[in-house]
Amino acid sequence: MSLVDAPTGGAEEARGLILTDARLVGSDGSPVDVLIESGEVSAIAPGITPAPGVDVVDLGGRWLAPGLWDWHVHMDQWALARRRLDLSTARSAAHAASLVGEKLRDDPPPSGQPLVGYGFFDALWADEPTRGVLDSVSGDVPVVLVSNDLHAAWLDSAALARYGYGGHPTGLLREQDAFDVSTRVSAVPDELLDRWVAEASAAAAARGVVGIVDLEMSFSIDRWARRVAGGDRSLRVSAGVYPADLDRVIERGLRTGDVIDGTGGLVTMGPFKIITDGSLNTRTAFCHDPYAGLEGTPAARGLSAYDADELVDWLRRASSAGLVPAVHAIGDAANALALDALEAVGCGGSIEHAQLVDARDVARFARLGIVASVQPEHAMDDRDVADRLWAGRTDRAFAFESLAAAGVTLRLGSDAPVAPLDPWVSMAAAVSRSRDGREAWHPEQRLVSSVALAASTRGRSSVEAGSVADLVVTESDPLSAADADLRAFDVAATLLGGRFTHVALG
């Protein structure tokens, strides 16, 4: 059968499938057949003869690569953000308020419900996001606007009163206060959220994604088990846990990599996630040197959530229970603190973001075996903010090639909803350091395509016999694609354990 006739869905892994006329990414492009049995690639050779009952799908000379992973996702937030008022185009507080006003006029929320928006960047705005600016358009409707990086929330007076911050002077909440409000406005009925997540999962599969590391801040393991039981089988999910729920995981005896019962192997226990600092846009990433323009102020260097001893205690407790740490660190001081703690405990793990790294610490990543879990599209979002707030330091901001050259293992992700859950977008940013036709930003930190692809497939650089049949079929070779073409790269099909989770129709 042709690819467009290939069956999608189904609860079980394919027991027998041959993909004919496939060209393997990373090879010379000679056509081969790929035999899949019991969810694994069992043979690769020209002209494999099918056994009785084995399905045969002709790829028509398309390219075959390992399926894509997104190493850092907030899946519930991504599903919710897809339905929230989009504020990514707002160029000022006044502009954002006008978008809120238009939404309230044309499509207001149900009576008593808040209007929730997402995606504003306020670091370069000339005016301040205050409660008064929103009050001028919102009236008595509670309005909660979540920043693009999730580390700030901007509320009008009605929302401040509803969520317990009535006396707040500005209405712009940061860090834990923002997280708390975001959690409350994200509470929707399980059935509804599960449906939205299933739609987001299917959209990810359509982009060649076979798995995610879900770092949703609330306890998500049981939600994912429920979703798989309900038929959402589009992705593999490694679900992380935060300090607030660490005891629950330890009591259940779960270790990183353990399969969650009842999920058919699709859901596993993920890492122990801990946040040590804030973000660049909110000026809370913890840095060695002051932010430009904030010199002499109490928070000139950002914020550190833990001192060294506290961080070591958390990492030791989690790692001794078998949980691999994933440490959020954006500023260079936060990265140094995280590396110090990981070295003291001797547990390995990853640093999530690693946006600003002191040159002396790059080699420590490699020496300690710490994975740099990075989000290349953030570099495109943050380049102008970084040039202003990290002036003189941007040669070591998002320093992907420096890390790779030092022998550091890279994993690419989106931090969705902060950037789209689309590994092709991440790869495009990594190999081009550009977007929208702009000049490349610090082009010396570009990654070569093969490194970017391997960092987006959990280290699998090619399709090999004996490997899991998590695969992506593309219309052309991603290793030779132009940078601009990667952002909207054509995905023909995605397979998870040898079953099709997506097939493009024509």
Side-chain angles (χ1 to χ4, degrees), residues 11 43 45-46 90 102 105 120 130 132 152 161 220 325 332 345 418 436 439 478 501:
E102 291 174 9
R105 183 183 65 248
F120 72 88
T130 65
S220 66
D332 50 9
V345 177
V418 182
D436 300 327
E439 182 180 354
T501 56

Side-chain angles (χ1 to χ4, degrees), residues 128-202:
E128 295 290 331
T130 65
R131 61 195 298 169
V133 173
L134 289 180
D135 288 348
S136 67
V137 298
S138 65
D140 59 358
V141 177
V143 174
V144 177
L145 309 180
V146 180
S147 66
N148 176 266
D149 58 18
L150 302 175
H151 284 255
W154 177 19
L155 283 65
D156 70 350
S157 293
L160 289 166
R162 170 176 289 195
Y163 298 112
Y165 295 91
H168 196 275
T170 68
L172 186 65
L173 309 181
R174 300 182 186 276
E175 301 307 326
Q176 192 60 51
D177 289 342
F179 297 154
D180 291 344
V181 170
S182 181
T183 297
R184 293 180 66 181
V185 299
S186 298
V188 299
D190 289 344
E191 181 181 353
L192 184 60
L193 182 60
D194 287 354
R195 184 168 76 246
W196 291 349
V197 168
E199 292 172 3
S201 297

Side-chain angles (χ1 to χ4, degrees), residues 221 238-241 249 254-260 267-271 323:
I221 299 168
S238 174
V241 64
V249 170
L254 291 172
R255 303 164 66 90
T256 297
D258 286 351
V259 174
I260 304 303
V267 182
T268 56
M269 185 66 233
L323 295 163

